[in-house]
Amino acid sequence: MNTLSSQSHRTQLILTAVSTCVITSALFTAYNAYRRRERRRDLDEDVLRSITAHEPSSTHRVPVIPEAEETGTEETFIRPSHIGGYNEALIKEQLARNYAFFGDEAMARVRAGSVVIVGCGGVGSWAAVMLVRSGVSKIRLVDFDYVTLSSLNRHATATLADVGTPKVGCIERTLKQISRWVQVDSRSEIWRKEDGGKLLEGADWVIDAIDNITTKVDLLKYCHDHGIKVFSSMGAGAKCDPTRVQISDISYTIYDPLARSVRRRLRLQGVSSGIPVVYSTEVPGDVKLLPLPEEEFQKGDVKELGVFDDFRVRILPVLGPLPSLFGLYIATYVICEMANKPILNPLPIKNRRKLYERLLRDLLHRESKLLGEQINKLPIDEDDVALIFEDLSLGRSVVPPHNVPSRPQLLRWDPLKPLTLENCVVFEFAEAEKHSRECLGGNAEERRRPAEVWGDEVQRIIDKNAAEVEKYRSWVGL
């Protein structure tokens, strides 16, 4: 009996201790929750006092939404009803992380800066949001387009309620919800070079997020000629690899078809460099223009069906995150430049321009020797060389075991076919000499077929690369 009584007594002590711990923990949790609610209520009252101190009447008081008892949330939200009247201390609190990163002087430059965004779709909208979140106080939005259902997979601010409304309008609404002090100038119109200066007036930076190549080139040329800092977005459509997104000067872009066209057109107008861009080195795979119904083709030239001349009617598929990445890259670059703290050590681009120049020069020499006459220009350029060497051959010889050549050479594969992207391969120097001697040299009757010299495996690689080039051609439109 004594043993049973002793065990029962210990059990009661344990239960009492556990109960006490549970009750104490519950009381402690309840007390902390109460203190958090009190602190948040005090903060809300301080914010209201700061705001109303700048208001002439009580008609603009900011309503406070009470705690949602049904959901059990402890948050109290404050929704501003107008723009002005935000205390400087509150501004610095909202931008505290940016102030900690840049410092007071740099943030003063950011907040004093003015940015114009031309093109407010998937790229421009994300750039606008992050610029304002980072402290930019003056922003002009320029875009003639309206929100559609298909815009919702990539636009930073558009919702179902915004479908059918101007893109600049829904961005302005969101920006003013983010920042009470921001000045937003929304222009639902198209930028044209004839009177484009009005829309760019007072800009410290211009962000080009235009889809149309003609207008894009006109804007970049205008900014370059008038000394206006401009950052341009290249093609984000039909891409899916975020690791291929790069920032570089327009003169160093590779693989991007839009960048290639823009670069060539600018060069014809005397602009060869000096414009930073964001682009992707990804070569798109199996992507095509979205189809149009047959009846649209029967109406006439598809190009004539656009809202404006030269603006796209058929569009490429777009994976939503890629345009947002482009916009975030742009915003980051522009903010750092405005703060006078530019990116010091950008990641080198896989763009070995001198190597490509040498490969092209050696190929020109070999082609002149093959044709028996001096030629001055090849049907491929440095961009094509980069595509062949980097993407198709991965910087390796076409001959097994596909070593990285110490002295790479480009050669025509089949002498019976013209020199094209499909008919140009990478060799090590000794392999190139053998190929020239046995497949390209001497009389046509004495030459051996490349597959006889190098085997069927190499020929299969050539055919596979040719198929990849065909996809590239359909993408670029060559």
Side-chain angles (χ1 to χ4, degrees):
M1 290 295 293
N2 291 335
T3 303
L4 292 174
S5 176
S6 176
Q7 291 178 347
S8 176
H9 181 65
R10 282 198 297 270
T11 301
Q12 289 177 359
L13 288 176
I14 293 172
L15 290 175
T16 301
V18 171
S19 300
T20 303
C21 289
V22 170
I23 293 172
T24 303
S25 177
L27 290 173
F28 186 73
T29 301
Y31 176 75
N32 282 338
Y34 170 77
R35 291 298 302 159
R36 284 197 298 271
R37 286 196 297 270
E38 287 298 309
R39 286 197 296 269
R40 284 170 180 152
R41 188 174 291 110
D42 292 342
L43 176 62
D44 292 336
E45 291 175 356
D46 290 342
V47 173
L48 281 173
R49 281 195 296 270
S50 176
I51 294 173
T52 54
H54 295 78
E55 296 177 353
S57 68
S58 61
T59 58
H60 297 291
R61 289 181 64 87
V62 180
V64 179
I65 299 178
E67 299 176 11
E69 297 180 357
E70 295 182 1
T71 60
T73 180
E74 299 175 357
E75 299 292 342
T76 301
F77 300 92
I78 298 177
R79 292 184 179 175
S81 61
H82 69 292
I83 297 180
Y86 215 53
N87 187 285
E88 178 66 18
L90 294 177
I91 295 177
K92 288 192 173 183
E93 175 64 23
Q94 183 169 331
L95 301 174
R97 303 300 176 89
N98 295 71
Y99 271 94
F101 188 89
F102 286 126
D104 289 349
E105 291 184 7
M107 279 303 298
R109 287 190 288 268
V110 172
R111 290 178 57 187
S114 176
V115 180
V116 176
I117 300 179
V118 186
C120 295
V123 175
S125 62
W126 283 97
V129 167
M130 289 313 303
L131 286 171
V132 171
R133 287 190 184 278
S134 301
V136 174
S137 301
K138 295 180 181 179
I139 192 165
R140 180 175 295 139
L141 309 171
V142 182
D143 198 321
F144 69 91
D145 206 1
Y146 285 69
V147 177
T148 65
L149 275 174
S150 65
S151 304
L152 302 186
N153 85 316
R154 60 195 180 279
H155 201 275
T157 65
T159 66
L160 282 171
D162 297 312
V163 173
T165 65
K167 289 181 178 179
V168 294
C170 68
I171 298 176
E172 178 179 0
R173 179 198 65 228
T174 300
L175 297 185
K176 289 181 178 178
Q177 290 173 344
I178 295 170
S179 168
R180 289 176 57 81
W181 63 89
V182 68
Q183 300 176 32
V184 184
D185 181 12
S186 298
R187 303 293 186 92
S188 185
E189 55 187 287
I190 187 172
W191 187 91
R192 295 188 184 278
K193 63 180 179 181
E194 293 79 10
D195 54 359
K198 297 179 182 178
L199 294 176
L200 306 183
E201 185 177 357
D204 295 304
W205 272 92
V206 172
I207 293 175
D208 157 42
I210 305 173
D211 291 328
N212 172 253
I213 186 171
T214 301
T215 308
K216 179 182 288 287
V217 172
D218 287 343
L219 175 62
L220 298 179
K221 170 68 172 171
Y222 184 94
C223 291
H224 182 272
D225 291 348
H226 290 80
I228 302 173
K229 296 178 181 178
V230 60
F231 193 108
S232 182
S233 172
M234 297 293 111
K239 308 289 180 72
C240 66
D241 187 352
T243 66
R244 292 292 196 115
V245 181
Q246 304 263 7
I247 288 178
S248 79
D249 188 88
I250 182 69
S251 61
Y252 293 119
T253 54
I254 54 175
Y255 307 154
D256 188 312
L258 178 59
R260 185 180 198 177
S261 298
V262 170
R263 185 177 67 248
R264 288 178 172 178
R265 293 193 186 196
L266 285 174
R267 191 178 297 152
L268 291 175
Q269 299 185 43
V271 181
S272 58
S273 62
I275 298 176
V277 302
V278 58
Y279 75 107
S280 172
T281 62
E282 179 184 359
V283 178
D286 298 324
V287 292
K288 297 180 181 179
L289 290 170
L290 296 181
L292 277 179
E294 182 61 31
E295 54 266 25
E296 294 296 331
F297 288 96
Q298 294 175 0
K299 294 178 183 179
D301 188 351
V302 173
K303 295 180 180 179
E304 297 176 358
L305 303 178
V307 180
F308 295 99
D309 293 340
D310 297 324
F311 271 80
R312 60 184 185 174
V313 175
R314 303 183 67 189
I315 56 176
L316 281 166
V318 178
L319 190 62
L322 264 295
S324 68
L325 284 178
F326 276 46
L328 299 180
Y329 271 57
I330 294 172
T332 304
Y333 184 96
V334 171
I335 292 165
C336 290
E337 288 288 330
M338 293 175 72
N340 199 22
K341 293 190 176 182
I343 301 170
L344 297 178
N345 298 303
L347 184 68
I349 305 168
K350 192 178 182 182
N351 179 18
R352 296 172 276 199
R353 185 63 61 180
K354 291 185 178 180
L355 172 62
Y356 306 150
E357 290 175 355
R358 183 184 65 75
L359 289 172
L360 194 63
R361 186 170 57 251
D362 291 347
L363 178 60
L364 178 65
H365 174 73
R366 291 182 181 275
E367 282 292 304
S368 296
K369 188 176 180 180
L370 173 64
L371 299 176
E373 60 179 341
Q374 180 63 38
I375 56 177
N376 298 318
K377 188 176 182 180
L378 293 171
I380 63 176
D381 59 18
E382 290 179 13
D383 286 345
D384 297 325
V385 170
L387 176 66
I388 295 168
F389 187 78
E390 305 286 6
D391 274 66
L392 296 179
S393 303
L394 304 178
R396 296 177 176 273
S397 169
V398 72
V399 179
H402 311 295
N403 293 323
V404 176
S406 59
R407 189 178 173 186
Q409 298 282 297
L410 290 183
L411 254 73
R412 185 191 300 225
W413 174 251
D414 188 344
L416 301 180
K417 297 179 180 179
L419 179 66
T420 60
L421 290 173
E422 298 91 333
N423 196 35
C424 189
V425 297
V426 177
F427 286 112
E428 173 60 87
F429 181 79
E431 298 164 346
E433 290 294 298
K434 178 179 178 180
H435 187 79
S436 295
R437 185 172 57 253
E438 299 193 21
C439 302
L440 305 180
N443 298 324
E445 296 79 9
E446 299 175 351
R447 294 172 182 167
R448 299 174 60 190
R449 291 178 55 252
E452 294 177 359
V453 177
W454 302 110
D456 293 336
E457 180 183 349
V458 175
Q459 184 61 56
R460 282 193 294 271
I461 294 173
I462 301 299
D463 295 338
K464 174 178 172 293
N465 289 346
E468 292 296 321
V469 171
E470 182 59 32
K471 293 179 184 177
Y472 176 76
R473 287 186 183 279
S474 63
W475 157 246
V476 179
L478 295 176

mmCIF file of all heavy atoms in Angstrom, residues 438-462:
data_model
loop_
_atom_site.group_PDB
_atom_site.id
_atom_site.type_symbol
_atom_site.label_atom_id
_atom_site.label_comp_id
_atom_site.label_asym_id
_atom_site.label_seq_id
_atom_site.Cartn_x
_atom_site.Cartn_y
_atom_site.Cartn_z
ATOM 1 N N GLU A 438 42.403 16.054 -97.564
ATOM 2 C CA GLU A 438 41.709 14.886 -98.112
ATOM 3 C C GLU A 438 40.311 15.188 -98.643
ATOM 4 O O GLU A 438 39.819 14.485 -99.531
ATOM 5 C CB GLU A 438 41.614 13.790 -97.050
ATOM 6 C CG GLU A 438 42.971 13.312 -96.566
ATOM 7 C CD GLU A 438 42.869 12.027 -95.760
ATOM 8 O OE1 GLU A 438 41.855 11.310 -95.902
ATOM 9 O OE2 GLU A 438 43.809 11.752 -94.980
ATOM 10 N N CYS A 439 39.657 16.232 -98.091
ATOM 11 C CA CYS A 439 38.262 16.505 -98.487
ATOM 12 C C CYS A 439 38.102 17.782 -99.301
ATOM 13 O O CYS A 439 37.134 17.917 -100.066
ATOM 14 C CB CYS A 439 37.366 16.591 -97.253
ATOM 15 S SG CYS A 439 37.364 15.114 -96.228
ATOM 16 N N LEU A 440 39.032 18.728 -99.148
ATOM 17 C CA LEU A 440 38.878 20.020 -99.821
ATOM 18 C C LEU A 440 39.970 20.294 -100.846
ATOM 19 O O LEU A 440 39.796 21.162 -101.713
ATOM 20 C CB LEU A 440 38.878 21.162 -98.786
ATOM 21 C CG LEU A 440 37.858 21.066 -97.637
ATOM 22 C CD1 LEU A 440 38.004 22.262 -96.708
ATOM 23 C CD2 LEU A 440 36.437 20.962 -98.169
ATOM 24 N N GLY A 441 41.095 19.574 -100.773
ATOM 25 C CA GLY A 441 42.218 19.874 -101.656
ATOM 26 C C GLY A 441 42.183 19.078 -102.954
ATOM 27 O O GLY A 441 41.379 18.162 -103.139
ATOM 28 N N GLY A 442 43.103 19.440 -103.862
ATOM 29 C CA GLY A 442 43.249 18.703 -105.123
ATOM 30 C C GLY A 442 42.046 18.847 -106.030
ATOM 31 O O GLY A 442 41.211 19.743 -105.881
ATOM 32 N N ASN A 443 41.968 17.930 -106.997
ATOM 33 C CA ASN A 443 40.840 17.913 -107.930
ATOM 34 C C ASN A 443 39.606 17.329 -107.261
ATOM 35 O O ASN A 443 39.704 16.557 -106.309
ATOM 36 C CB ASN A 443 41.190 17.090 -109.169
ATOM 37 C CG ASN A 443 42.373 17.689 -109.926
ATOM 38 O OD1 ASN A 443 42.499 18.915 -109.978
ATOM 39 N ND2 ASN A 443 43.215 16.838 -110.491
ATOM 40 N N ALA A 444 38.459 17.656 -107.823
ATOM 41 C CA ALA A 444 37.209 17.148 -107.255
ATOM 42 C C ALA A 444 37.169 15.628 -107.280
ATOM 43 O O ALA A 444 36.605 14.997 -106.384
ATOM 44 C CB ALA A 444 36.027 17.730 -108.026
ATOM 45 N N GLU A 445 37.795 15.012 -108.318
ATOM 46 C CA GLU A 445 37.769 13.557 -108.426
ATOM 47 C C GLU A 445 38.624 12.892 -107.342
ATOM 48 O O GLU A 445 38.376 11.743 -106.956
ATOM 49 C CB GLU A 445 38.267 13.108 -109.804
ATOM 50 C CG GLU A 445 37.382 13.559 -110.963
ATOM 51 C CD GLU A 445 37.631 15.009 -111.342
ATOM 52 O OE1 GLU A 445 38.616 15.621 -110.813
ATOM 53 O OE2 GLU A 445 36.837 15.571 -112.130
ATOM 54 N N GLU A 446 39.638 13.602 -106.871
ATOM 55 C CA GLU A 446 40.555 13.023 -105.894
ATOM 56 C C GLU A 446 40.063 13.185 -104.457
ATOM 57 O O GLU A 446 40.605 12.547 -103.548
ATOM 58 C CB GLU A 446 41.929 13.687 -106.034
ATOM 59 C CG GLU A 446 42.556 13.476 -107.404
ATOM 60 C CD GLU A 446 43.847 14.254 -107.535
ATOM 61 O OE1 GLU A 446 44.136 15.078 -106.622
ATOM 62 O OE2 GLU A 446 44.561 14.067 -108.522
ATOM 63 N N ARG A 447 39.073 14.018 -104.255
ATOM 64 C CA ARG A 447 38.612 14.294 -102.898
ATOM 65 C C ARG A 447 37.782 13.133 -102.357
ATOM 66 O O ARG A 447 37.040 12.483 -103.087
ATOM 67 C CB ARG A 447 37.758 15.563 -102.875
ATOM 68 C CG ARG A 447 38.538 16.822 -103.211
ATOM 69 C CD ARG A 447 37.595 18.000 -103.366
ATOM 70 N NE ARG A 447 38.308 19.226 -103.744
ATOM 71 C CZ ARG A 447 37.726 20.325 -104.186
ATOM 72 N NH1 ARG A 447 36.392 20.359 -104.302
ATOM 73 N NH2 ARG A 447 38.444 21.387 -104.509
ATOM 74 N N ARG A 448 37.893 12.931 -101.063
ATOM 75 C CA ARG A 448 37.103 11.907 -100.388
ATOM 76 C C ARG A 448 35.908 12.565 -99.698
ATOM 77 O O ARG A 448 35.975 13.734 -99.292
ATOM 78 C CB ARG A 448 37.953 11.170 -99.364
ATOM 79 C CG ARG A 448 39.147 10.440 -99.949
ATOM 80 C CD ARG A 448 40.015 9.859 -98.845
ATOM 81 N NE ARG A 448 39.269 8.896 -98.016
ATOM 82 C CZ ARG A 448 39.751 8.402 -96.874
ATOM 83 N NH1 ARG A 448 40.946 8.797 -96.425
ATOM 84 N NH2 ARG A 448 39.037 7.526 -96.182
ATOM 85 N N ARG A 449 34.858 11.795 -99.557
ATOM 86 C CA ARG A 449 33.689 12.291 -98.843
ATOM 87 C C ARG A 449 34.036 12.436 -97.365
ATOM 88 O O ARG A 449 34.713 11.579 -96.782
ATOM 89 C CB ARG A 449 32.503 11.343 -99.005
ATOM 90 C CG ARG A 449 31.928 11.319 -100.412
ATOM 91 C CD ARG A 449 30.784 10.326 -100.544
ATOM 92 N NE ARG A 449 29.721 10.570 -99.567
ATOM 93 C CZ ARG A 449 29.471 9.797 -98.526
ATOM 94 N NH1 ARG A 449 30.221 8.716 -98.303
ATOM 95 N NH2 ARG A 449 28.477 10.083 -97.701
ATOM 96 N N PRO A 450 33.578 13.528 -96.717
ATOM 97 C CA PRO A 450 33.918 13.737 -95.308
ATOM 98 C C PRO A 450 33.532 12.561 -94.411
ATOM 99 O O PRO A 450 34.270 12.212 -93.482
ATOM 100 C CB PRO A 450 33.120 14.996 -94.941
ATOM 101 C CG PRO A 450 32.966 15.730 -96.232
ATOM 102 C CD PRO A 450 32.834 14.673 -97.281
ATOM 103 N N ALA A 451 32.383 11.937 -94.683
ATOM 104 C CA ALA A 451 31.962 10.810 -93.851
ATOM 105 C C ALA A 451 32.921 9.634 -93.968
ATOM 106 O O ALA A 451 33.095 8.859 -93.013
ATOM 107 C CB ALA A 451 30.549 10.374 -94.243
ATOM 108 N N GLU A 452 33.586 9.470 -95.142
ATOM 109 C CA GLU A 452 34.567 8.398 -95.309
ATOM 110 C C GLU A 452 35.812 8.660 -94.472
ATOM 111 O O GLU A 452 36.447 7.732 -93.964
ATOM 112 C CB GLU A 452 34.953 8.274 -96.779
ATOM 113 C CG GLU A 452 33.811 7.820 -97.688
ATOM 114 C CD GLU A 452 34.243 7.801 -99.144
ATOM 115 O OE1 GLU A 452 35.420 8.150 -99.419
ATOM 116 O OE2 GLU A 452 33.411 7.452 -100.004
ATOM 117 N N VAL A 453 36.168 9.922 -94.345
ATOM 118 C CA VAL A 453 37.380 10.279 -93.601
ATOM 119 C C VAL A 453 37.141 10.234 -92.093
ATOM 120 O O VAL A 453 37.977 9.715 -91.339
ATOM 121 C CB VAL A 453 37.851 11.684 -94.022
ATOM 122 C CG1 VAL A 453 39.075 12.107 -93.200
ATOM 123 C CG2 VAL A 453 38.176 11.716 -95.511
ATOM 124 N N TRP A 454 35.995 10.747 -91.644
ATOM 125 C CA TRP A 454 35.770 10.925 -90.210
ATOM 126 C C TRP A 454 34.760 9.948 -89.611
ATOM 127 O O TRP A 454 34.650 9.874 -88.389
ATOM 128 C CB TRP A 454 35.311 12.356 -89.934
ATOM 129 C CG TRP A 454 36.291 13.380 -90.418
ATOM 130 C CD1 TRP A 454 36.139 14.228 -91.470
ATOM 131 C CD2 TRP A 454 37.594 13.633 -89.882
ATOM 132 N NE1 TRP A 454 37.248 15.018 -91.627
ATOM 133 C CE2 TRP A 454 38.162 14.668 -90.654
ATOM 134 C CE3 TRP A 454 38.334 13.100 -88.828
ATOM 135 C CZ2 TRP A 454 39.432 15.168 -90.403
ATOM 136 C CZ3 TRP A 454 39.594 13.609 -88.579
ATOM 137 C CH2 TRP A 454 40.139 14.623 -89.349
ATOM 138 N N GLY A 455 34.032 9.229 -90.448
ATOM 139 C CA GLY A 455 33.112 8.224 -89.925
ATOM 140 C C GLY A 455 31.676 8.705 -89.828
ATOM 141 O O GLY A 455 31.376 9.904 -89.866
ATOM 142 N N ASP A 456 30.773 7.742 -89.674
ATOM 143 C CA ASP A 456 29.342 8.037 -89.634
ATOM 144 C C ASP A 456 28.934 8.788 -88.377
ATOM 145 O O ASP A 456 27.973 9.558 -88.381
ATOM 146 C CB ASP A 456 28.536 6.736 -89.748
ATOM 147 C CG ASP A 456 28.694 6.071 -91.114
ATOM 148 O OD1 ASP A 456 29.010 6.799 -92.078
ATOM 149 O OD2 ASP A 456 28.501 4.844 -91.207
ATOM 150 N N GLU A 457 29.649 8.544 -87.275
ATOM 151 C CA GLU A 457 29.296 9.228 -86.032
ATOM 152 C C GLU A 457 29.429 10.738 -86.181
ATOM 153 O O GLU A 457 28.564 11.507 -85.744
ATOM 154 C CB GLU A 457 30.181 8.735 -84.885
ATOM 155 C CG GLU A 457 29.863 9.423 -83.558
ATOM 156 C CD GLU A 457 30.788 8.985 -82.434
ATOM 157 O OE1 GLU A 457 31.534 8.000 -82.632
ATOM 158 O OE2 GLU A 457 30.771 9.636 -81.380
ATOM 159 N N VAL A 458 30.516 11.179 -86.806
ATOM 160 C CA VAL A 458 30.712 12.607 -87.019
ATOM 161 C C VAL A 458 29.642 13.146 -87.961
ATOM 162 O O VAL A 458 29.110 14.244 -87.760
ATOM 163 C CB VAL A 458 32.122 12.887 -87.572
ATOM 164 C CG1 VAL A 458 32.274 14.369 -87.897
ATOM 165 C CG2 VAL A 458 33.189 12.446 -86.577
ATOM 166 N N GLN A 459 29.286 12.376 -88.989
ATOM 167 C CA GLN A 459 28.261 12.818 -89.914
ATOM 168 C C GLN A 459 26.920 12.993 -89.200
ATOM 169 O O GLN A 459 26.166 13.935 -89.483
ATOM 170 C CB GLN A 459 28.105 11.808 -91.058
ATOM 171 C CG GLN A 459 27.115 12.236 -92.146
ATOM 172 C CD GLN A 459 27.531 13.516 -92.836
ATOM 173 O OE1 GLN A 459 28.630 13.617 -93.382
ATOM 174 N NE2 GLN A 459 26.643 14.510 -92.806
ATOM 175 N N ARG A 460 26.618 12.113 -88.252
ATOM 176 C CA ARG A 460 25.371 12.256 -87.491
ATOM 177 C C ARG A 460 25.381 13.540 -86.657
ATOM 178 O O ARG A 460 24.352 14.208 -86.502
ATOM 179 C CB ARG A 460 25.180 11.036 -86.589
ATOM 180 C CG ARG A 460 24.680 9.795 -87.330
ATOM 181 C CD ARG A 460 24.197 8.721 -86.366
ATOM 182 N NE ARG A 460 25.288 8.178 -85.556
ATOM 183 C CZ ARG A 460 26.029 7.143 -85.920
ATOM 184 N NH1 ARG A 460 25.818 6.543 -87.089
ATOM 185 N NH2 ARG A 460 26.990 6.690 -85.132
ATOM 186 N N ILE A 461 26.550 13.872 -86.127
ATOM 187 C CA ILE A 461 26.664 15.123 -85.366
ATOM 188 C C ILE A 461 26.417 16.320 -86.274
ATOM 189 O O ILE A 461 25.721 17.281 -85.909
ATOM 190 C CB ILE A 461 28.045 15.221 -84.700
ATOM 191 C CG1 ILE A 461 28.197 14.129 -83.637
ATOM 192 C CG2 ILE A 461 28.261 16.608 -84.086
ATOM 193 C CD1 ILE A 461 29.584 14.048 -83.045
ATOM 194 N N ILE A 462 26.978 16.262 -87.486
ATOM 195 C CA ILE A 462 26.774 17.348 -88.449
ATOM 196 C C ILE A 462 25.299 17.487 -88.783
ATOM 197 O O ILE A 462 24.759 18.604 -88.827
ATOM 198 C CB ILE A 462 27.589 17.085 -89.739
ATOM 199 C CG1 ILE A 462 29.088 16.962 -89.424
ATOM 200 C CG2 ILE A 462 27.338 18.185 -90.754
ATOM 201 C CD1 ILE A 462 29.690 18.189 -88.806
#
